[in-house]
Amino acid sequence: MASIFTKIINGDIPSYKIAEDEYNFAFLDINPNAKGHTLCVPKKEVDKIMDLDEESYMRLMAFSRKVGVALEKAVPCKRVGMSVIGLEVPHVHVHLIPLQSMANATFQHKEELTKEEFEAVAEAIRAHL
Ligand code: AMP
C-alpha cells in the first residue's frame, strides 16, 4: 500500500507544498515542532534512509539544503536544524526545523497553526527558492 507521503506526492492527499523536482518533494509538516517545519521526501518509496542508494541519498540532501536555505531566509530563527527519524511514517523524510532553542528539536513541543498560517509560511518559503 502506498505510504501517506506517496499519496501526498501523487496529490491524493492535500499538503502545503513547498517544492518539487524529478526525485524529491517538500511540504510542511502538519504537526510542526515550529512554524515552517518542512519535510523533504524522495518520490521513490523507501522506508529507512540508510537503505537509499547513494545517488538518491545525495540528491535528497542537495534538495533538502536548497529548501533549508530558503526556509532560513523565510522564517526568523537561530538556524535550521535537520533530523531524520522515521518512526511514524515508513517513507524516508528529512525534517527541516527552524530552531530557536533545543526544545524545537525534541519533537515534544508542537505548534498549532491555522490554515492561513500554514499557507502564509509556505508562500514565504517558496518565495525564497
Ligand atoms: P517521523 O516518522 O517520526 O519522522 O515523523 C513523521 C512526521 O510526519 C511527523 O512529524 C508528522 O507530523 C508528519 N506527518 C504525518 N502525516 C502528515 C501529513 N499528512 N502531512 C504532513 N505531515 C505529516
Side-chain angles (χ1 to χ4, degrees):
M1 199 180 80
S3 78
I4 188 157
F5 291 165
T6 293
K7 289 177 185 166
I8 286 173
I9 291 162
N10 291 340
D12 298 330
I13 290 180
S15 70
Y16 298 100
K17 182 176 168 182
I18 302 295
E20 176 178 14
D21 69 11
E22 189 179 347
Y23 301 102
N24 299 289
F25 194 98
F27 54 98
L28 294 179
D29 194 299
I30 205 68
N31 189 21
N33 291 16
K35 188 190 277 190
H37 182 166
T38 297
L39 302 176
C40 298
V41 182
K43 291 182 177 176
K44 182 162 68 175
E45 195 175 315
V46 171
D47 179 359
K48 298 186 286 180
I49 190 157
M50 297 309 168
D51 288 341
L52 281 180
D53 61 79
E54 189 173 345
E55 200 178 19
S56 302
Y57 176 90
M58 297 308 282
R59 280 197 199 111
L60 175 63
M61 287 301 141
F63 179 81
S64 299
R65 180 182 177 279
K66 194 173 164 189
V67 174
V69 168
L71 176 56
E72 209 164 68
K73 288 179 186 157
V75 175
C77 60
K78 289 188 175 164
R79 61 185 59 218
V80 168
M82 180 187 268
S83 62
V84 178
I85 314 290
L87 290 172
E88 186 185 321
V89 178
H91 183 158
V92 175
H93 48 285
V94 172
H95 293 263
L96 298 175
I97 306 164
L99 302 177
Q100 293 297 347
S101 73
M102 193 60 189
N104 300 127
T106 63
F107 295 84
Q108 303 296 315
H109 309 278
K110 296 293 181 174
E111 194 161 328
E112 281 191 21
L113 301 180
T114 63
K115 186 174 187 294
E116 289 71 28
E117 287 172 319
F118 274 114
E119 281 167 353
V121 74
E123 176 55 36
I125 301 165
R126 286 195 299 265
H128 284 92
L129 282 168

